[in-house]
Amino acid sequence: MSNATPASKDAAPVEEVANLSVSQVEQNITPWTVEGAVVDGEQVAIDYDKLIAQFGTRKITPELLERFTKLTGHEPHLYLRRNIFFSHRDFEKILDKYEQGKPFYLYTGRGPSRGHMHVGHMMPFIFCKWLQDVFDVPLVIQLTDDEKFLFKKELTIDQVHDYAINTVREIAAVGFQPEKTFIFSNMDYMGGAFYRNVLQIANLITFSQAKSAFGFVGESNIGQVHFPSIQAAPALCSTFPGIFGARRDVPCLIPCGIDQDPYFRITRDVTQRLKHPKPSLLHTRFLPALQGSTSKMSSSIDSSAIFMSDTPAQIKNKINRYAFSGGRTSLEEHRQFGGNPDVDVAYQYLTYFVEDDKEIEDLAAGYRKGEITSGEMKARCIKVIQEFVAGFQAREKEITKEQVAQFTDPNFPRVFASLSKK
């Protein structure tokens, strides 16, 4: 978080917090800050039901997932089955489009603030790859190197651009194909249709709206205030004439962290005024920091995260040393009373990376009974994460400069049969 990060309008004033005999602070979830509430002086886990009510989104229901399975013939991804993607805006309208044989596309992004992603960054890309395989639709991925330069005062413009180019290799290693996926740096792609849409969106958003949505303050630089219009523009299909031609009727589905929702609430307000459909969204929970579910992994705090460049030894050390345990203070107590997998970070990570639902259920039950110790849970987690990272690293080594150029070329042939239909 930069020194210029806007203050949240939902956060309690510092002097008010300081004067409380027992600290009570609301959770603070913004595009720049993710912090659980403080209750009786202790920080607690993020309340996602409260976020649904606060942001005005809707829960992903079993009925919605049943419809998805009926239409696509695919069982829901483990992120959907386990309520990791838990909230949505108008996902049913995307299913309507699929049922009608009408086109849509996927849009997600990444703010490359350092040279390598951590495992938390991988989630939306893993999910997007699965969605793309199921629906067979285009995917556009925005690299917000400009945002990082505006919000991270310690970074130079050359650094953030280099980070973006490195990120293309990492995203490609998830398994995407350039024939279906366009990855673009804002610094490189800005202009033409993209910039025209940025200007039209900016012209419809007042400073008062931006301040209310993002908490901008007097110290916020004008680039920060303008940036929401840049993140909004890829939600308009006309931003990508190389894929959609002159069409303006193709909606998008945006899988993203719930902290990004303020950007797209504003986007949804302006798209119809620009004669484009509203974007739909799927919101994910945050992969917890190693220290627990009161915050998410952070690129700027090495001990909070497992990076995709970490060695097996580093992964083992981080999980053993830093991963918050839901076990008891002694082995004897743990055997007698059992542990709490709901707060155990090693178990939480396994729910994101182990496909087998029965294994996850057995791990939770065994932990609660005291049959599985904290050390055993961490050992299983270490093995799974090591294998995941090692597989990724092997694929990344195979990505060539030519492939990077194909992913980032707006004119690379990307043809979808559904785009010829209206």
Side-chain angles (χ1 to χ4, degrees):
M1 176 174 154
S2 77
N3 294 331
T5 297
S8 168
K9 64 187 178 68
D10 297 318
V14 173
E15 61 272 18
E16 178 182 325
V17 174
N19 290 331
L20 292 174
S21 56
V22 179
S23 296
Q24 306 284 343
V25 181
E26 288 293 313
Q27 64 183 13
N28 185 19
I29 310 298
T30 75
W32 307 280
T33 304
V34 175
E35 296 173 341
V38 176
V39 178
D40 295 335
E42 293 187 4
Q43 199 165 36
V44 298
I46 294 163
D47 186 335
Y48 289 98
D49 287 338
K50 188 170 185 177
L51 284 178
I52 287 175
Q54 178 185 341
F55 289 176
T57 65
R58 289 184 291 161
K59 288 185 178 181
I60 296 175
T61 63
E63 292 76 19
L64 190 60
L65 295 183
E66 285 174 11
R67 186 184 177 208
F68 168 88
T69 299
K70 182 178 179 180
L71 288 176
T72 66
H74 291 264
E75 290 298 319
H77 191 275
L78 68 89
Y79 291 173
L80 291 170
R81 299 198 307 269
R82 295 177 190 161
N83 205 33
I84 292 169
F85 273 85
F86 70 103
S87 164
H88 76 103
R89 292 186 186 275
D90 292 343
F91 183 48
E92 75 281 357
K93 292 184 178 180
I94 293 295
L95 295 181
D96 290 343
K97 291 289 183 183
Y98 184 77
E99 186 173 27
Q100 296 160 6
K102 294 182 178 179
F104 60 92
Y105 67 104
L106 301 171
Y107 162 35
T108 195
R110 161 88 175 106
S113 58
R114 62 172 288 171
H116 296 280
M117 292 195 288
H118 57 60
V119 293
H121 293 140
M122 298 296 290
M123 289 172 49
F125 298 115
I126 293 169
F127 190 57
C128 277
K129 179 63 171 66
W130 179 80
L131 287 171
Q132 189 180 52
D133 290 344
V134 169
F135 291 124
D136 191 25
V137 292
L139 166 65
V140 297
I141 301 175
Q142 181 184 52
L143 302 180
T144 57
D145 41 8
D146 51 348
E147 179 202 24
K148 290 305 175 183
F149 176 69
L150 293 168
F151 283 87
K152 297 280 188 178
K153 293 301 184 183
E154 70 275 15
L155 296 176
T156 68
I157 200 164
D158 289 333
Q159 282 178 314
V160 294
H161 186 257
D162 287 345
Y163 291 164
I165 300 306
N166 291 337
T167 299
V168 176
R169 296 180 58 85
E170 292 188 293
I171 293 172
V174 174
F176 296 110
Q177 299 299 321
E179 293 81 5
K180 296 184 177 183
T181 308
F182 175 43
I183 307 174
F184 61 98
S185 148
N186 281 346
M187 289 187 189
D188 291 338
Y189 186 57
M190 183 67 70
F194 185 12
Y195 191 51
R196 285 196 294 272
N197 280 341
V198 167
L199 290 176
Q200 291 184 91
I201 293 166
N203 194 41
L204 295 176
I205 301 173
T206 67
F207 176 70
S208 293
Q209 288 174 310
K211 182 179 178 181
S212 175
F214 300 103
F216 292 124
V217 294
E219 293 73 26
S220 302
N221 66 56
I222 60 175
Q224 294 172 348
V225 178
H226 176 65
F227 179 76
S229 61
I230 298 174
Q231 184 156 323
L236 279 63
C237 66
S238 60
T239 295
F240 307 102
I243 302 174
F244 302 106
R247 295 188 68 156
R248 303 171 68 87
D249 64 331
V250 182
C252 72
L253 173 63
I254 308 172
C256 63
I258 187 70
D259 58 329
Q260 299 298 302
D261 189 73
Y263 283 114
F264 299 113
R265 289 203 301 273
I266 284 184
T267 304
R268 285 165 57 87
D269 288 341
V270 302
T271 49
Q272 289 189 306
R273 295 166 68 184
L274 295 174
K275 298 182 180 179
H276 284 72
K278 289 183 178 181
S280 300
L281 286 88
L282 291 171
H283 303 114
T284 181
R285 299 171 184 265
F286 307 111
L287 187 69
L290 283 160
Q291 288 74 18
S293 58
T294 59
S295 63
K296 66 176 182 177
M297 284 189 178
S298 171
S299 293
S300 59
I301 305 174
D302 186 77
S303 63
S304 76
I306 296 168
F307 292 92
M308 300 309 296
S309 56
D310 281 350
T311 66
Q314 287 174 317
I315 293 169
K316 181 178 180 179
N317 178 63
K318 285 182 177 181
I319 293 174
N320 279 332
R321 184 175 181 182
Y322 299 117
F324 184 82
S325 171
R328 300 286 177 168
T329 55
S330 69
L331 179 59
E332 182 180 2
E333 285 187 3
H334 187 86
R335 293 295 191 197
Q336 182 176 0
F337 301 110
N340 181 3
D342 296 332
V343 300
D344 190 272
V345 165
Y347 173 78
Q348 293 302 313
Y349 287 1
L350 288 169
T351 66
Y352 285 77
F353 293 101
V354 172
E355 178 69 34
D356 188 343
D357 290 336
K358 187 176 187 306
E359 179 180 353
I360 292 299
E361 293 170 3
D362 290 346
L363 285 169
Y367 202 61
R368 289 191 175 97
K369 295 175 182 176
E371 296 170 354
I372 296 173
T373 66
S374 295
E376 290 167 337
M377 189 72 80
K378 285 186 176 183
R380 177 64 177 135
C381 179
I382 289 167
K383 184 176 186 295
V384 167
I385 301 296
Q386 284 175 334
E387 290 176 352
F388 173 76
V389 172
F392 168 86
Q393 291 172 353
R395 293 191 302 274
E396 186 187 11
K397 288 179 181 178
E398 300 299 318
I399 303 299
T400 66
K401 289 183 179 180
E402 181 183 13
Q403 288 174 307
V404 169
Q406 291 172 346
F407 277 109
T408 57
D409 181 356
N411 298 312
F412 189 80
R414 298 179 177 94
V415 180
F416 287 82
S418 61
L419 296 181
S420 64
K421 302 175 183 177
K422 285 202 174 184

